Amino acid sequence: GEIVWRKDLRIGYLEQEPQYPMDLTVIEACFWHGNSTTTLIREYEECMSTPGNPGLQDILDRMDHENAWDYETRSKQILGKLQIEDFNQPLSQLSGGQLKRVALANVLITEPDFLILDEPTNHLDLTMIEWLEGYLSRSSMTLLMVTHDRYFLDRVCNLILEMDDQTVYPYHGNYG
């Protein structure tokens, strides 16, 4: 088949087992994955270092549209909510749960319209799962999720579409 996305749709994806170069720091990891905002920030920095600043107005307009000006601040705020406080700590020193929280922060920072989550509660402790439940429940984003955590699913989703054997089963409310 073919997938067609709306032109300005922002998509976020949380991998089940996030992979980063282990020599990055926590804050560097927030800029490493190359989403549209970090790519735009790099483009802005290159433009500012080029004589005559070619294309500056277009870049400024796109920076405004993507809320890119406060990306680092948003990164630190979300990392803080996820109890990651040492932004200069090397990723190699993080536990599996801490690394998952850095990846989760990375995907939430971009404020996607459509969020794909692959086993989002793996490696998260109860406090972090509850925070994520609250965050997603207050959000208006659409979720596509693979999870075996039925309780998480029940607390976050109000419409569930289960696909099984080429049939779609809708559940309004929760899964139960």
Side-chain angles (χ1 to χ4, degrees):
E2 182 179 340
I3 297 174
V4 179
W5 303 104
R6 186 182 80 214
K7 183 179 181 181
D8 61 343
L9 183 70
R10 289 187 318 258
I11 300 169
Y13 172 55
L14 177 66
E15 297 175 90
Q16 186 174 156
E17 298 292 332
Q19 301 293 318
Y20 293 97
M22 288 294 115
D23 60 333
L24 295 178
T25 64
V26 168
I27 198 66
E28 287 170 339
C30 292
F31 287 84
W32 176 78
H33 52 78
N35 63 50
S36 63
T37 304
T38 59
T39 301
L40 181 57
I41 291 168
R42 278 191 211 94
E43 190 178 337
Y44 169 77
E45 290 170 352
E46 287 173 18
C47 176
M48 294 308 291
S49 66
T50 303
N53 310 112
L56 180 61
Q57 189 56 53
D58 175 58
I59 294 171
L60 294 175
D61 292 343
R62 290 185 297 149
M63 292 281 288
D64 288 339
H65 181 293
E66 288 202 32
N67 298 320
W69 298 111
D70 62 347
Y71 186 85
E72 184 172 352
T73 301
R74 282 196 325 264
S75 301
K76 290 178 178 179
Q77 287 173 339
I78 291 176
L79 286 165
K81 297 267 188 199
L82 292 168
Q83 299 178 355
I84 302 288
E85 303 291 338
D86 184 354
F87 308 127
N88 294 314
Q89 184 176 12
L91 295 182
S92 61
Q93 296 177 3
L94 300 181
S95 69
Q98 290 170 318
L99 189 58
K100 182 77 169 209
R101 286 185 273 154
V102 168
L104 179 59
N106 278 322
V107 76
L108 297 178
I109 291 161
T110 62
E111 300 174 338
D113 302 307
F114 182 62
L115 180 57
I116 302 167
L117 301 170
D118 188 357
E119 297 293 353
T121 60
N122 281 9
H123 305 294
L124 297 182
D125 63 21
L126 183 59
T127 303
M128 291 299 98
I129 292 171
E130 289 173 346
W131 180 86
L132 182 57
E133 287 171 0
Y135 184 92
L136 294 175
S137 295
R138 290 185 304 276
S139 167
S140 63
M141 68 182 83
T142 299
L143 299 175
L144 173 62
M145 184 169 14
V146 174
T147 184
H148 290 89
D149 189 338
R150 181 175 171 181
Y151 300 106
F152 177 78
L153 191 65
D154 282 348
R155 289 188 292 273
V156 170
C157 299
N158 57 16
L159 170 64
I160 297 170
L161 301 174
E162 177 186 8
M163 294 179 281
D164 186 27
D165 196 27
Q166 299 181 350
T167 305
V168 175
Y169 301 95
Y171 298 91
H172 294 277
N174 59 29
Y175 190 72

